Amino acid sequence: MTSIVTRPAHPARTPLVLAIAIAAAFPVSLFAQATQEKILAPVVVTSSRFASDPSLAPIGATVITAEEIRNAGVDNVNQAIRKIGGVYGRQSSFGSQDFDLDLRGFGVASSQNMVVLVDGVRLSENEGLAPIMSSIPVDSVERIEIIRGGSSVLYGDGATGGVINIITKRATQPGLHGSVTAEIGQLGHRDVRSTVSRNWGSFALDANVSKQRADNYRDNNAIDQENFSGGAQWTSAEGRFGIRADIARQDSRLAGGLSLAQYQNNPRQTLTPKQYAVIDTDRYTAFIERRFGAWEAAAELSHRERTTLYGTDGTSPMVYKGRQTQFSPRIRNLRSIDGMINELVVGFDLIRWNRDVDSSFSQQRASQKSRAVYARDELRVGKARVALGARHEVFDKDSVDPAPFSTATYSSSQALNAWELQGSYEIAPLVNLFAKAGQSYRVANVDENGFTAVPNRPLNPQTSHDLELGASVGNAENRLTAKLFRHRLRNEIFFDPTIGFFGANGNLDPTRRQGVEVETSTRIAKTFRLSAQWQHVNAEFTDGVNAGKEMVLVPKNTVSMRLSWLPGDGQTADIGAQWVGSQRYGGDFSNSCSAVIPSYTTLDGRYARRVGQWEFAVIGNNLTDKNYFSQAYSCRGGIYPSAGRQIKVSARYDF
């Protein structure tokens, strides 16, 4: 392996002013509508892991539709979640578009405190890699549901920060349909993707192919990605079943971190000109849904093979080979009696995972089996909704590493429980109050357990007591949602730089995340639509030697705003801004570093013109060419610079 082998690992405004600015975007005229119309939710949702009636939409969730994705002109799913959903993300060290997404301030452990699913199948797994969402064809996405806050009852391990549920399109239109898109831009960006579907009534096929190549902003940070996704499904009045295959290849060059002085001298340089990473993933899924009167059964059986290589040109790479099989059967009873709607869901999640490592310092053979049972019941009576659920899950973890000086030989069994109580009430037309309380959990992954303070001893499970209070005002055209949230964590799993000489993974003293989230979307004129999100979060230790200290790599405030122009004459335009407040450098548990990662603001935009079956667009990222960074793993060090300005042009043909 030599060259691009390649496929990688890895102003000031006060919160009050920001809140007022967001609220001001929400028109007063909305309240005049309150006596004339009810809340509208035209999108079918899957809050219970079944397609649900809009009246049972996830409480307080954010839904991104395929139309919004198309109008914003985003290249991939991760970008849609950040730009449209307002989720904060950090630049990937792989050079890919898979930013490290962070729901509710979990810093470098954010990907382990968030569950990502595609059509009910977990992308989040028992290892340190973040889910690779750029492999999901963006043109195949029907909608994305972002459920913030503890969700372990339905989704299990790692759902304290929330859940991102990606639902792909079903080929429902008769005949042959598809599109071809080509894109080229600065920093060596080249992207070609195609999607096609064919429907014969009860039988349908679909396929998506994409290839992306980019040199990227930094030296030795080029990336090459190839993806294929295809499936077949049979449908009837009683349900559907089908199969899917998802193949992804990613080759990356790794630019590595810089000191602050090196970053200021030349943010594009690399100190690791020969390092690379390769990630190959094959996933195969079979699914079935069947209705029996008021009962409905569903299940997914998925198997994933992944090979990951890390290396330096001219030397033998470290090789990680992992496999995961997931089986998730469930049943639902949905009844309407005397105006009441009751939904009962009972299910199982059975997951078997294992990984083999081949390197000069490790020959680890690790496995994990998890068995979970859960139940959730939701009742809607008039203007009120109430839901109660519980989950019990057992994890069996085994690891053996015969390599000298290994610290990753152990065997353990851990049993965990989650619960939730949710409710909402429509106190007036267009005005809903809601509340959530519960317990969520996560267990340490294989990489965390492989480097702990006490050799060969796995970490304790992390638990969180979650609370959320909120209100939602408006309809589909004009909506404002505000939430107060709190997560009280015990045994938080995190890399602790204060352990030993080099630091180690450990269970922290008690910590807390609490704050405010505000989200609004409104039509400010016939052809203009404005959306905005603000998150204010306090992440801190509540006990121990660092009590009262701020957690690292967590900005207190993030604000995202987007303005869309949709005149309906074949033109569309979209401009967005994101402001991220300052944050502590990674590893600065004692808050003793005299510097912080500076705040920054970025702008992006897109203009598109449709001519017949063609659409031509120009896209700009970081339009002001802001020089900034959001990843830094030590005080004034371990800095991964973010990309400078990039202009791209694209052409799309629909058939």
Side-chain angles (χ1 to χ4, degrees):
M1 292 195 155
T2 54
S3 56
I4 188 156
V5 56
T6 100
R7 299 176 207 194
H10 275 132
R13 300 178 181 176
T14 66
L16 178 60
V17 172
L18 295 170
I20 293 173
I22 292 177
F26 196 71
V28 176
S29 60
L30 165 69
F31 296 96
Q33 305 172 19
T35 58
Q36 302 175 16
E37 51 185 322
K38 296 290 183 181
I39 291 176
L40 302 177
V43 180
V44 176
V45 296
T46 54
S47 60
S48 61
R49 296 180 66 168
F50 282 90
S52 298
D53 184 273
S55 66
L56 295 175
I59 295 174
T62 299
V63 179
I64 302 171
T65 66
E67 181 181 12
E68 291 173 316
I69 292 173
R70 177 71 183 276
N71 289 337
V74 296
D75 296 330
N76 58 80
V77 171
N78 188 290
Q79 192 179 65
I81 294 167
R82 289 183 286 113
K83 291 190 174 183
I84 306 173
V87 176
Y88 172 60
R90 299 180 184 83
Q91 184 82 43
S92 168
S93 61
F94 288 96
S96 75
Q97 292 298 312
D98 284 298
F99 282 48
D100 295 336
L101 302 177
D102 192 345
L103 293 174
R104 295 199 167 166
F106 283 89
V108 292
S110 59
S111 65
Q112 305 303 313
N113 285 278
M114 173 184 69
V115 172
V116 178
L117 303 102
V118 178
D119 294 328
V121 176
R122 287 178 67 111
L123 293 190
S124 306
E125 299 181 12
N126 182 41
E127 53 192 272
L129 280 176
I132 302 177
M133 285 181 274
S134 60
S135 65
I136 305 165
V138 68
D139 296 313
S140 72
V141 175
E142 178 65 32
R143 67 189 182 278
I144 303 170
E145 299 167 1
I146 304 171
I147 305 171
R148 292 172 169 86
S151 304
S152 284
V153 167
L154 288 177
Y155 302 104
D157 173 36
T160 295
V163 173
I164 295 176
N165 193 12
I166 301 160
I167 298 95
T168 60
K169 296 176 181 177
R170 303 178 183 180
T172 56
Q173 292 183 322
L176 181 68
H177 301 275
S179 66
V180 178
T181 303
E183 189 173 270
I184 188 170
Q186 293 175 295
L187 307 179
H189 175 84
R190 297 180 293 280
D191 186 7
V192 178
R193 57 185 186 268
S194 177
T195 179
V196 63
S197 64
R198 182 70 164 89
N199 187 295
W200 291 271
S202 60
F203 177 67
L205 293 172
D206 68 89
N208 301 269
V209 180
S210 67
K211 180 175 177 60
Q212 183 188 84
R213 175 69 166 82
D215 294 332
N216 283 319
Y217 178 70
R218 298 185 61 196
D219 299 334
N220 194 51
N221 208 201
I223 186 167
D224 196 337
Q225 290 180 299
E226 297 179 359
N227 304 303
F228 168 80
S229 176
Q233 69 171 336
W234 293 260
T235 60
S236 69
E238 291 77 29
R240 69 181 186 121
F241 70 94
I243 54 175
R244 292 206 65 80
D246 299 281
I247 312 297
R249 301 290 181 262
Q250 178 174 297
D251 297 347
S252 299
R253 305 296 299 188
L254 304 180
L258 302 174
S259 69
L260 183 60
Q262 292 162 343
Y263 164 78
Q264 292 171 337
N265 179 56
N266 178 13
R268 305 184 72 161
Q269 67 177 303
T270 178
L271 304 181
T272 56
K274 296 184 178 182
Q275 290 188 1
Y276 66 85
V278 176
I279 305 175
D280 291 348
T281 305
D282 299 337
R283 180 178 287 103
Y284 305 96
T285 304
F287 59 87
I288 186 170
E289 299 172 2
R290 185 70 163 81
R291 287 180 291 275
F292 306 90
W295 292 90
E296 184 175 359
E300 294 91 24
L301 175 62
S302 176
H303 180 74
R304 187 274 295 156
E305 300 272 349
R306 175 186 288 159
T307 300
T308 305
L309 286 74
Y310 299 102
T312 302
D313 293 339
T315 65
S316 298
M318 298 176 286
V319 181
Y320 299 78
K321 292 186 177 181
R323 295 160 295 280
Q324 175 166 297
T325 301
Q326 172 184 334
F327 181 48
S328 298
R330 57 198 180 277
I331 58 173
R332 174 175 69 168
N333 181 267
L334 184 62
R335 292 182 180 273
S336 178
I337 305 173
D338 297 330
M340 298 186 299
I341 299 176
N342 190 78
E343 181 186 48
L344 172 65
V345 175
V346 178
F348 300 88
D349 285 323
L350 308 173
I351 301 175
R352 180 190 297 265
W353 175 94
N354 59 71
R355 189 181 74 178
D356 299 336
V357 180
D358 184 6
S359 74
S360 59
F361 61 85
S362 177
Q363 297 293 317
Q364 185 186 24
R365 303 293 181 264
S367 66
Q368 175 177 295
K369 299 177 184 177
S370 63
R371 306 173 301 281
V373 58
Y374 62 88
R376 184 179 187 273
D377 189 77
E378 179 164 343
L379 177 66
R380 182 182 180 103
V381 182
K383 299 179 180 181
R385 292 171 59 185
V386 62
L388 178 64
R391 181 186 185 97
H392 179 71
E393 188 162 11
V394 177
F395 298 86
D396 294 321
K397 292 175 172 286
D398 293 281
S399 176
V400 175
D401 192 344
F405 310 109
S406 167
T407 61
T409 297
Y410 55 83
S411 180
S412 71
S413 182
Q414 299 169 333
L416 292 162
N417 298 307
W419 63 270
E420 66 176 29
L421 175 62
Q422 303 186 36
S424 71
Y425 186 74
E426 185 180 0
I427 62 172
L430 299 174
V431 181
N432 267 267
L433 301 180
F434 56 86
K436 304 179 185 179
Q439 176 174 289
S440 56
Y441 59 81
R442 92 168 177 99
V443 295
N445 63 51
V446 65
D447 296 312
E448 291 166 328
N449 277 332
F451 186 52
T452 59
V454 180
N456 306 315
R457 180 184 295 178
L459 300 177
N460 293 324
Q462 167 188 307
T463 58
S464 174
H465 287 93
D466 313 312
L467 180 64
E468 181 178 304
L469 303 173
S472 180
V473 182
N475 59 10
E477 285 294 298
N478 301 283
R479 182 182 295 276
L480 174 68
T481 301
K483 308 172 191 174
L484 300 173
F485 65 87
R486 185 183 68 193
H487 302 280
R488 299 177 62 185
L489 294 105
R490 294 291 183 271
N491 291 318
E492 180 172 356
I493 300 167
F494 210 88
F495 181 79
D496 188 343
T498 67
I499 297 176
F501 188 76
F502 297 105
N505 298 306
N507 292 117
L508 302 184
D509 291 322
T511 55
R512 180 178 62 205
R513 309 295 193 282
Q514 64 182 14
V516 182
E517 292 170 341
V518 180
E519 180 177 10
T520 183
S521 177
T522 180
R523 188 173 295 279
I524 58 176
K526 184 178 180 180
T527 59
F528 287 93
R529 186 161 195 83
L530 178 68
S531 61
Q533 299 88 16
W534 168 48
Q535 177 179 277
H536 173 75
V537 56
N538 283 310
E540 61 184 15
F541 289 90
T542 58
D543 204 348
V545 295
N546 291 313
K549 304 294 185 180
E550 296 177 352
M551 287 293 292
V552 300
L553 289 176
V554 179
K556 279 193 174 183
N557 292 286
T558 57
V559 178
S560 299
M561 301 186 74
R562 302 201 70 79
L563 179 64
S564 300
W565 179 55
L566 307 167
D569 60 356
Q571 300 182 87
T572 60
D574 183 272
I575 187 166
Q578 184 179 66
W579 175 75
V580 177
S582 62
Q583 51 192 302
R584 294 282 177 183
Y585 277 98
D588 186 19
F589 279 22
S590 63
N591 296 180
S592 59
C593 181
S594 60
V596 296
I597 298 175
S599 63
Y600 59 88
T601 302
T602 55
L603 295 173
D604 65 86
R606 177 181 187 263
Y607 171 78
R609 180 65 186 251
R610 192 165 186 86
V611 181
Q613 292 174 275
W614 288 90
E615 182 186 71
F616 303 94
V618 58
I619 306 106
N621 295 321
N622 192 5
L623 290 170
T624 61
D625 201 20
K626 177 70 174 179
N627 194 2
Y628 72 102
F629 60 93
S630 56
Q631 292 273 42
Y633 294 108
S634 62
C635 180
R636 296 185 177 89
I639 295 171
Y640 285 77
S642 296
R645 179 170 49 226
Q646 183 183 41
I647 304 298
K648 302 180 288 185
V649 294
S650 70
R652 171 177 172 138
Y653 180 75
D654 294 304
F655 59 89

